[in-house]
Amino acid sequence: MTVPLDRHYQVEMQVSAERISQLRRIVAAHLRHWSLDLHVRPVCRAAEELLTNVQRHVGDDSGCVVELRWTGRHLTVSVADKGSRMPRLLSGGGGGLSRVMALSDSWGTCRTDDGKVVWFTRYAQTPHTTGLLPRTPLPSGDAFRPRPVAELV
C-alpha cells in the first residue's frame, strides 16, 4: 500500500460541548480514511481532553485551531488557542494533560505570539495489508477427473 508522505487536516472552530463532539467524529473519520482504525479511540479521547481544557481554561466559545498531521510514521494532533496561561501537568490527576500523556507517546506545549499550542504524538506506522491470497490451482490429470458413481463402488 502506498501512502502519501504527509496527510494533513486543519480546522478553526469555536469551542463548545457540541462542537467538541462534532470534532471527535471528524477526527475519527479522518483516521479511518487514513487506515488508522486502531488509533481512533485513544486519539479522539486525547484530542477531546485538549479541547475541553480550552473550553475550561480559556472560555466557552473561544476560538482554536485543531490540526492533524500524519507522516506515515507519526500522528501529531495539536490545538492552538489564544489563552495566555500555559497548561501544566497536575500530580495525581486523572484527566487533562495526565490523560493526554497516558494516551500518547509524547506531548508538549509551545507559547505563540497570540497564545499557545498544545500537542501530542502517537507512533502510527503505515498499516501493512496482505491483499488477497493467491488462488490455489486445481490439480489436473486423470486422477482428479470426475467418475461415475458405479466406478467408485
Side-chain angles (χ1 to χ4, degrees):
M1 171 197 271
T2 304
V3 175
L5 291 178
D6 196 20
R7 300 267 179 118
H8 181 252
Y9 172 74
Q10 182 175 326
V11 63
E12 192 169 337
M13 64 179 276
Q14 299 298 111
V15 180
S16 67
E18 181 181 290
R19 292 291 291 152
I20 290 172
S21 65
Q22 287 174 344
L23 189 75
R24 183 183 175 103
R25 290 189 298 274
I26 291 168
V27 168
H30 278 282
L31 296 178
R32 286 187 183 104
H33 178 69
W34 296 343
S35 299
L36 298 175
D37 299 59
L38 295 176
H39 298 277
V40 168
R41 214 169 167 183
V43 168
C44 286
R45 187 67 188 114
E48 183 178 35
E49 284 295 331
L50 294 183
L51 291 169
T52 301
N53 284 348
V54 172
Q55 183 182 21
R56 186 175 297 136
H57 300 292
V58 180
D60 220 2
D61 292 326
S62 298
C64 70
V65 176
V66 179
E67 185 175 10
L68 305 175
R69 184 173 298 276
W70 181 48
T71 63
R73 200 172 183 101
H74 292 94
L75 176 69
T76 302
V77 179
S78 64
V79 176
D81 64 55
K82 295 185 185 312
S84 59
R85 196 169 119 201
M86 294 300 285
R88 55 193 172 107
L89 186 61
L90 300 175
S91 61
L97 290 178
S98 297
R99 183 165 290 139
V100 171
M101 185 173 72
L103 294 168
S104 64
D105 294 317
S106 63
W107 68 276
T109 63
C110 179
R111 193 173 300 279
T112 63
D113 289 339
D114 59 348
K116 66 183 170 300
V117 176
V118 183
W119 54 267
F120 68 89
T121 63
R122 282 183 60 91
Y123 179 73
Q125 189 170 10
T126 305
H128 297 285
T129 59
T130 57
L132 297 175
L133 296 175
R135 282 180 71 191
T136 306
L138 294 174
S140 61
D142 213 30
F144 296 101
R145 87 173 156 77
R147 295 188 181 154
V149 175
E151 285 182 34
L152 296 174
V153 190

